Amino acid sequence: MKRVILPLFALVSYASNAQFSIVPRVGMETFRTTITPGDFSSFSPMGQQFTPSLSVRMAYKLKSGPGAYIGVATTKQAVDFSFADPLHAATAYTAAAKNLQLRLEGGYQFTSKAIALRKPVNTKSFASKYAGRTTSETARRCTRSSSISRCGGMRNSANTAAASLSKITPKDEGLFLRIQPSVGLAYAPIGGGIETTTKNGSTNYTYRAGSTTALVAGTAFEFGTKTQTKFIVSVNYLQGLGNNTQTVTSNEMLKPTTTTFSSKTSGFNVSLGIPIVFKKKPAVIAAPPIINRSSHHGRCGQYRSYQL
């Protein structure tokens, strides 16, 4: 029984110190897909491409900083590279970007401690100074007054004014920054192989260029208060893994010839997101009320506190 209870208790304690968040993001992505046809040097048939990007990232983070994430994003990094002669594909070709598709992401992230960019304004200290000043002024007036009830009323009015001032004073929680580096893997099923079509007696080939898997590394900057994140600015770099190698066999001068094609994609994206955070709220225990009653010493403005 202990073997079951102890791990369960540890899991509950672990989860109580963590938070789950969902971050919808919108941004811009740029990428470059390079192709190496046969013995030719690599080149990019589409050049540097720019496209809008939408993504959603779900993260599970501990209070100490480390955590894991999974997400999904849009991408158009695949390129259809078409040619008729494999031996001269580097000079006679057509290229077109593939339609929008989804990319899956997952990895590890770490969140630093909050860095103060603008310290919060302590409005309570201002209200307390005001209350102390009005109270001292009332006490001086009280010594000159012969009416104890009038003096007590003046003191109560001063405290009420100070309390009202603290309520109407705007609350400034300051501005804080958290740095969140991350590293992970991405998967985009672009498809593979080389399609062959025949039209009017001529054969055309289409090679799907791009990277199915990629390494994703970047840094996010969280802006907000010390306890709540308002928005996140992220910069990520993607580097394709593997070469997506495919071969084409053609007849050149009645002799079979094999040409190898390979490709790789790299790029980066910048996005802006607003997090939706789910975390356990601490229980709030209400303090017992304190009632001020007048003392029997006969001095003006003196009270005794009684706790229920």
Side-chain angles (χ1 to χ4, degrees), residues 23-30 51-57 72-74 103 105 219-223 231-237 268-274:
V23 186
R25 301 182 180 186
V26 58
M28 182 67 66
E29 182 176 78
T30 176
T51 179
S53 176
L54 299 176
S55 63
V56 176
R57 175 174 288 194
V72 60
T74 59
R103 180 180 66 236
E105 300 176 353
T219 303
F221 302 91
E222 297 185 358
F223 295 89
F231 63 92
I232 301 175
V233 178
S234 303
V235 180
N236 294 290
Y237 175 77
F268 65 91
N269 62 64
V270 179
S271 62
L272 174 66
I274 300 178

Side-chain angles (χ1 to χ4, degrees), residues 6-29:
L6 292 179
L8 182 61
F9 179 77
L11 181 61
V12 173
S13 301
Y14 183 84
S16 63
N17 294 324
Q19 68 179 22
F20 176 76
S21 63
I22 300 176
V23 186
R25 301 182 180 186
V26 58
M28 182 67 66
E29 182 176 78

Side-chain angles (χ1 to χ4, degrees), residues 47-97:
Q48 197 76 25
Q49 299 185 71
F50 295 86
T51 179
S53 176
L54 299 176
S55 63
V56 176
R57 175 174 288 194
M58 295 170 285
Y60 188 78
K61 180 179 65 175
L62 297 178
K63 288 185 178 180
S64 57
Y69 73 90
I70 58 174
V72 60
T74 59
T75 182
K76 293 183 67 175
Q77 55 101 0
V79 175
D80 285 337
F81 183 73
S82 302
F83 52 92
D85 186 359
L87 297 179
H88 300 87
T91 56
Y93 66 87
T94 58

Side-chain angles (χ1 to χ4, degrees), residues 25-303:
R25 301 182 180 186
V26 58
M28 182 67 66
E29 182 176 78
T30 176
F31 53 89
R32 182 182 179 89
T33 300
T34 58
I35 299 176
T36 306
D39 297 331
F40 292 93
S41 301
S42 61
F43 67 99
S44 178
M46 297 288 294
Q48 197 76 25
Q49 299 185 71
F50 295 86
T51 179
S53 176
L54 299 176
S55 63
V56 176
R57 175 174 288 194
M58 295 170 285
Y60 188 78
K61 180 179 65 175
L62 297 178
K63 288 185 178 180
S64 57
Y69 73 90
I70 58 174
V72 60
T74 59
T75 182
K76 293 183 67 175
Q77 55 101 0
V79 175
D80 285 337
F81 183 73
S82 302
F83 52 92
D85 186 359
L87 297 179
H88 300 87
T91 56
Y93 66 87
T94 58
K98 190 185 175 184
N99 294 332
L100 195 68
Q101 62 178 141
L102 296 179
R103 180 180 66 236
L104 303 178
E105 300 176 353
Y108 171 83
Q109 66 182 20
F110 181 84
T111 305
S112 69
K113 294 182 179 180
I115 304 172
L117 300 180
R118 188 185 73 242
K119 293 184 178 181
V121 178
N122 192 352
T123 56
K124 292 184 179 180
S125 62
F126 177 78
S128 62
K129 290 181 181 179
Y130 179 84
R133 184 180 63 185
T134 53
T135 303
S136 61
E137 291 177 357
T138 305
R140 288 196 299 269
R141 294 177 184 178
C142 180
T143 56
R144 301 173 184 176
S145 176
S146 60
S147 175
I148 297 178
S149 60
R150 182 183 178 185
C151 180
M154 292 176 65
R155 179 163 185 161
N156 291 334
S157 299
N159 291 335
T160 303
S164 300
L165 178 65
S166 63
K167 290 182 180 180
I168 63 175
T169 304
K171 188 176 181 181
D172 186 1
E173 297 182 351
L175 179 63
F176 289 83
L177 166 67
R178 294 177 181 87
I179 302 176
Q180 188 181 82
S182 62
V183 61
L185 296 174
Y187 173 75
I190 65 172
I194 296 181
E195 296 181 2
T196 303
T197 59
T198 302
K199 185 177 181 181
N200 299 327
S202 61
T203 303
N204 293 319
Y205 305 91
T206 300
Y207 168 59
R208 181 65 53 80
S211 299
T212 301
T213 58
L215 177 68
V216 183
T219 303
F221 302 91
E222 297 185 358
F223 295 89
T225 63
K226 195 170 185 179
T227 59
Q228 184 180 6
T229 302
K230 299 297 184 180
F231 63 92
I232 301 175
V233 178
S234 303
V235 180
N236 294 290
Y237 175 77
L238 294 90
Q239 177 61 54
L241 302 176
N243 294 321
N244 188 14
T245 303
Q246 303 292 335
T247 59
V248 176
T249 301
S250 61
N251 293 322
E252 183 70 17
M253 301 297 292
L254 302 178
K255 181 181 178 180
T257 303
T258 301
T259 306
T260 302
F261 291 82
S262 62
S263 61
K264 185 175 291 187
T265 300
S266 62
F268 65 91
N269 62 64
V270 179
S271 62
L272 174 66
I274 300 178
I276 304 172
V277 180
F278 304 90
K279 62 181 179 179
K280 185 178 179 181
K281 295 183 179 180
V284 179
I285 301 176
I290 298 177
I291 300 178
N292 293 326
R293 296 180 181 178
S294 301
S295 65
H296 299 286
H297 294 285
R299 296 181 181 180
C300 174
Q302 291 186 352
Y303 294 89

